[in-house]
Amino acid sequence: MERIRKALEYANRDRPPGAEKQGADGTVVGDFTAGLRYTYTKVVEVPHRVMLENRLIAAVPSHEFKDAYRMLRTRVLQSLRDNNWNSVAVTGPASGCGKTLTAINLAISLAMEVTHTVLLVDLDLRKPSVHQYFGYQPEAGLSDYLFRDVPVHQLLFSPSIERLVVLPGREEVQNSSEMLRSPKMVALVNELKHRYPDRLIVFDLPPILAADDALAFAPYTDAMLMVAEAGGTSREDLQKAIAVLKGVPMIGTVLNKAHAARRKPAYYRAQGAKA
Amino acid sequence: MAYDIAIPEEHSKSLQDYLDAFRRRGAFAFKIALAVLVLGLVVIFLWPNSYKSTATILIEDPEVPPGLVPTTVTTFAARQIQYINQRVMTRTNLAEIIEKFDLFQKQRRYLPTLMLVDEVQKFISIDLVDVQLADPDRPSQLINSTIAFTLGFEHPNPEVARKVTNELVSLYLNENVRARTEQTAQTSEFMQAEVNRLDTGVREIEGQIAKLKQENEGSLPQQTPVNQQMLQRADQELLDIDRQIRALSESRVLVDAQLAQIEPMKTMTMPDGRGVAPPADQLRALQSQLAILEGRYSPDHPDVQRIRRDIEALQLEVGNDVRPENSAAQLADLRGKLAMARERYSDDHPEVARLLRQIASLEANRAAVPAERPNRSREEPNNPVYIQVQAQRKNLDIQEATLRGQRAEVQARIAQYEKRIGASSEVERELSALMRRLETASASYQAARGRLFTAQMGQALETQSKGERFTLVEPPDLPLQPSSPNRPVLLALLAVLCLAIAFGLPQFAESMDSSVNSARAVERVQGSPPLAEIPLIQNTEDMTHKRNMRLYALVFAPVAMIIAAVLVHFFVINLDVAWYVALRRLGM
């Protein structure tokens, strides 16, 4: 027991948790994570109430809109698998369209599948906000890694959701787009992408039309996911954003804050609730 | 399912789009529609009732057929109504009505009554009742004929509405009667004045004619034949007199010859039986004897001497009645000479002077002769035959004198008649001019008289109310049902409006919204539908915020409005007045 434990500790020193459990069923995962995962990764207990307040409904067991994220997750997964990708960057034409929330909920939803782990990276260096959704203020963020060489594993935290690890930002970075293209950053991304084959990475990028960050980072992600705000994003902006990202693989668009989706037939809602 | 190319969405709206829009915004639109419905219902049912009282006034045809007695009021009924309308709807009348019935109590507190006059007119209605009639002149055409009209007044209080309508009706009827009688009276008055004027003109011309006739009595055109006849007769008379005078002269010559042959003195028979010749004969015998003796003897011959003495004695007796004839001849001779001398010499030539002296002495002699005349008749003729013939001659003289007198008189008459005939043409000209004027004047006068008669008849027609007139057939009623607001219509309109908002607003908002708001919009932009549609997730904060906003809207908005209204009412402008002024500005 002692040896095994030591070996596991060694193995997990430099790596995020949740890598060893593919093929296992729900119960195994449960036991597994409780004991093993968070030796090096900070575990942050996020109450359901906080998640609900911050609209992180993908983690809430029975929420009426959960199905929407499930649908998104499945589509994204299909796309990633078809192309043999393992990273997706979430962005939107302008700020306020709910891309960060979508990224988090997508990440949570992806993490709900037991076949892979998920890393959510907050690349909105200008306005890092992912951690806020979990009601957590990290001691170190991505900027600390870039400027102060803080090791990556010290930055990560797990918001008490299995198979989900978050790489938060912490402070505002002025020359964010240069930083996103800096060799250090590129090296980090490559490291993150290739370290574990069964890890999916979700990047939260700043809006496309607000700054060149998203465009600058585009080459380093496998695919893009566009978030459009129903009733908020204008057709022109969406068109422009798509045009700007021409050439970058695009999984598709998410229509956020959609009206029509609210009126799902009761059948699905009931099923969703049961599941 | 996916579109290959992006189609501009305006051109490809499908039923689904409408349904989507309705689904997305229907609730909001329904809320608005509901609010409008509630507000509308409140307004419709709380809006004060207004009652309209109406009266129908019939325009009756003249009782006397117009062909028989034409009225002098000839305007069309509709025009007549408008005319009366203008007369009745004066500011003064309306102001009086406002005062009398205490209309617009609130507004009158702030505004002068005259400013409300326009307002009160909005509540007065006049509707003409027209019928289509065949035009009597052109039967194929229809004309509109006004047979009646209704007067109405609208007021929140039905009783006031009735009273005001009543007042209006009486104003109309009175004004109509007044206008018509006044019009007819004025017509006949005018015609009377015209007749008087023409009458004066005719009289004046007649006076001129009378004066002309008087002044030219005798030379009037109609007297010309008489004058001519008289002239002819006088001419005849003159001829007659002349003939008589000629006859008398002849008789006188005869008588004179006879008289010359008769000795005035009766031949005295001497005792020897020898008649003694009358002295003149004796003188002539002696003169011829003297001539013979002088031829035979010397003047100193005693015979000659004797005869001379005899002659002188006889001359004394008979008178030298030869001398006057001589002196006359001498005088004529001298005058001839004088004339010749004057041609040759000047007046102070001795020759002329001498001749003048001789003529003067000769004339003096001649003047003296008559004094000697009695010498001749110193001895009265005593021959009865002579006396008879002499008497005859005197008789002839008297007759001639009488005739001459007559002739002069006849000539005077002829002159007079000629003068009259001469003057008559001038008189005739003047007279005919005057007659012409008289004719014209009297023709006008006659025509005016005729018209005056018609006008007076028309006036009688109107004053006795037998002409076209307004009759109140339906007196103002007390309205039981409010005339406005027309609630059923307003309710229907409200329903239509609400439906339009409920179903139109989503589409409208959708068309105004340029954002991607549906999966279809995304599909149009990027060519494929979105991966997922994530509904708006609301947390408790959102819910609270929303609830609070609703609460604020429900509680504070009305409160704020009431406070604002109260502040405006007391510190800026009275809301009653503001409302009224706003309506006036809008021209309502």
Side-chain angles (χ1 to χ4, degrees), chain B residues 123-402:
Chain B
F123 297 102
I124 298 172
S125 62
I126 299 164
D127 298 310
L128 302 184
V129 181
D130 287 347
V131 287
Q132 295 256 314
L133 292 176
D135 191 337
D137 299 331
R138 283 163 295 175
S140 61
Q141 287 193 342
L142 290 175
I143 50 167
N144 265 336
S145 180
T146 308
I147 55 155
F149 64 100
T150 57
L151 265 176
F153 185 75
E154 227 181 292
H155 195 267
N157 182 342
E159 183 55 33
V160 172
R162 193 184 64 78
K163 280 182 181 166
V164 174
T165 310
N166 209 19
E167 176 79 10
L168 286 173
V169 164
S170 60
L171 275 175
Y172 263 78
L173 295 181
N174 291 344
E175 181 59 33
N176 181 45
V177 169
R178 202 188 62 74
R180 290 185 82 95
T181 48
E182 188 177 286
Q183 206 176 340
T184 50
Q186 276 176 355
T187 309
S188 52
E189 207 172 288
F190 170 75
M191 287 320 299
Q192 184 64 59
E194 194 67 358
V195 163
N196 290 348
R197 189 179 65 79
L198 290 169
D199 188 35
T200 314
V202 167
R203 275 175 205 285
E204 194 183 313
I205 295 167
E206 277 173 351
Q208 282 177 1
I209 288 170
K211 195 177 154 212
L212 187 73
K213 278 185 174 169
Q214 205 177 2
E215 279 172 358
N216 295 286
E217 185 59 51
S219 36
L220 299 174
Q222 67 263 39
Q223 288 172 322
T224 306
V226 178
N227 283 341
Q228 275 171 343
Q229 217 174 344
M230 295 299 280
L231 181 65
Q232 225 169 352
R233 200 186 294 169
D235 279 345
Q236 202 65 44
E237 227 173 304
L238 190 66
L239 280 175
D240 207 29
I241 290 169
D242 279 350
R243 206 168 48 240
Q244 284 182 39
I245 289 175
R246 229 175 6 255
L248 276 178
S249 303
E250 278 167 18
S251 311
R252 204 176 52 188
V253 169
L254 284 175
V255 170
D256 277 353
Q258 211 178 344
L259 200 62
Q261 283 170 359
I262 300 165
E263 264 311 304
M265 294 300 175
K266 201 163 48 176
T267 311
M268 282 177 294
T269 313
M270 291 292 141
D272 57 357
R274 200 175 40 115
V276 177
D281 288 352
Q282 283 176 25
L283 185 60
R284 263 187 298 269
L286 282 174
Q287 276 173 344
S288 59
Q289 205 179 343
L290 179 66
I292 295 159
L293 283 176
E294 275 181 340
R296 209 182 284 168
Y297 308 112
S298 75
D300 300 334
H301 192 277
D303 286 350
V304 175
Q305 296 268 340
R306 188 184 44 92
I307 287 171
R308 270 188 207 276
R309 279 191 303 271
D310 283 355
I311 286 169
E312 279 176 11
L314 275 170
Q315 269 177 339
L316 279 174
E317 191 179 331
V318 176
N320 49 349
D321 65 335
V322 194
R323 273 171 65 196
E325 281 88 51
N326 289 349
S327 68
Q330 240 180 325
L331 196 60
D333 184 40
L334 279 172
R335 279 193 176 138
K337 276 181 186 167
L338 178 63
M340 281 166 71
R342 273 192 172 149
E343 277 177 17
R344 252 181 290 169
Y345 315 115
S346 67
D347 275 2
D348 41 356
H349 195 271
E351 180 68 17
V352 177
R354 187 182 55 83
L355 283 167
L356 281 171
R357 266 197 314 279
Q358 277 183 352
I359 289 167
S361 70
L362 211 56
E363 279 177 342
N365 267 352
R366 275 175 60 93
V369 166
E372 295 172 23
R373 285 291 293 182
N375 290 346
R376 191 181 178 261
S377 48
R378 187 176 45 195
E379 208 171 349
E380 284 295 319
N382 53 2
N383 189 351
V385 180
Y386 183 83
I387 290 169
Q388 191 191 343
V389 174
Q390 206 175 23
Q392 204 178 340
R393 194 182 183 281
K394 274 183 186 158
N395 191 26
L396 284 174
D397 281 348
I398 289 165
Q399 276 185 21
E400 196 184 336
T402 311

Side-chain angles (χ1 to χ4, degrees), chain A:
Chain A
M1 194 69 190
E2 185 67 24
R3 275 182 59 199
I4 297 170
R5 188 178 178 147
K6 276 189 177 170
L8 278 172
E9 275 178 12
Y10 178 79
N12 283 336
R13 178 185 294 166
D14 231 346
R15 82 210 270 211
E20 297 91 336
K21 57 277 144 198
Q22 54 261 72
D25 62 65
T27 46
V28 173
V29 170
D31 291 341
F32 182 88
T33 44
L36 293 182
R37 249 181 90 196
Y38 306 112
T39 317
Y40 296 104
T41 305
K42 235 171 283 158
V43 174
V44 176
E45 277 299 331
V46 182
H48 270 180
R49 185 180 52 80
V50 174
M51 292 208 189
L52 208 57
E53 277 309 298
N54 289 323
R55 304 181 178 86
L56 305 182
I57 57 164
V60 178
S62 60
H63 193 277
E64 55 172 333
F65 298 152
K66 207 171 169 182
D67 279 334
Y69 285 113
R70 284 198 180 112
M71 169 69 86
L72 176 65
R73 173 193 67 189
T74 308
R75 299 288 299 270
V76 170
L77 264 180
Q78 275 174 358
S79 194
L80 292 178
R81 278 177 187 155
D82 288 352
N83 296 291
N84 207 18
W85 292 333
N86 70 344
S87 64
V88 60
V90 179
T91 185
S95 62
C97 60
K99 62 187 165 33
T100 302
L101 182 65
T102 307
I104 297 170
N105 270 323
L106 174 64
I108 294 171
S109 206
L110 283 170
M112 291 294 169
E113 296 233 348
V114 294
T115 54
H116 48 251
T117 57
V118 177
L119 175 62
L120 174 63
V121 183
D122 189 352
L123 284 184
D124 193 347
L125 296 180
R126 289 163 188 259
K127 218 173 91 185
S129 59
V130 170
H131 54 273
Q132 288 167 7
Y133 281 86
F134 294 102
Y136 168 70
Q137 184 57 45
E139 288 148 19
L142 190 56
S143 53
D144 295 301
Y145 164 76
L146 291 174
F147 298 121
R148 287 178 278 276
D149 287 329
V150 177
V152 171
H153 68 265
Q154 291 190 12
L155 308 178
L156 302 173
F157 75 90
S158 173
S160 70
I161 292 166
E162 291 164 33
R163 296 175 293 277
L164 176 64
V165 174
V166 179
L167 175 54
R170 186 178 62 85
E171 56 185 358
E172 290 180 29
V173 176
Q174 286 309 311
N175 44 353
S176 57
S177 79
E178 289 87 341
M179 291 318 298
L180 283 175
R181 301 189 72 146
S182 65
K184 213 171 176 186
M185 187 73 209
V186 172
L188 175 66
V189 170
N190 279 330
E191 152 76 15
L192 292 176
K193 274 168 77 174
H194 298 115
R195 179 135 196 178
Y196 304 109
D198 56 350
R199 180 153 76 178
L200 301 180
I201 304 173
V202 177
F203 297 109
D204 177 31
L205 281 176
I208 295 166
L209 300 178
D212 65 335
D213 292 24
L215 196 56
F217 186 74
Y220 308 110
T221 177
D222 290 329
M224 282 280 189
L225 180 68
M226 183 75 72
V227 178
E229 180 191 3
T233 305
S234 72
R235 286 186 283 268
E236 282 166 27
D237 279 359
L238 184 58
Q239 261 166 348
K240 240 187 269 177
I242 291 170
V244 165
L245 292 178
K246 202 172 180 184
V248 179
M250 176 81 71
I251 293 176
T253 304
V254 179
L255 187 65
N256 197 19
K257 305 186 192 176
H259 301 273
R262 247 192 258 171
R263 304 255 183 270
K264 282 279 178 193
Y267 171 75
Y268 292 111
R269 252 187 286 160
Q271 271 208 334
K274 259 183 253 164

Side-chain angles (χ1 to χ4, degrees), chain B residues 101-112:
Chain B
F101 296 100
D102 203 16
L103 308 174
F104 303 111
Q105 290 166 353
K106 257 190 247 168
Q107 286 92 326
R108 269 170 61 209
R109 259 182 266 151
Y110 310 105
L111 294 167

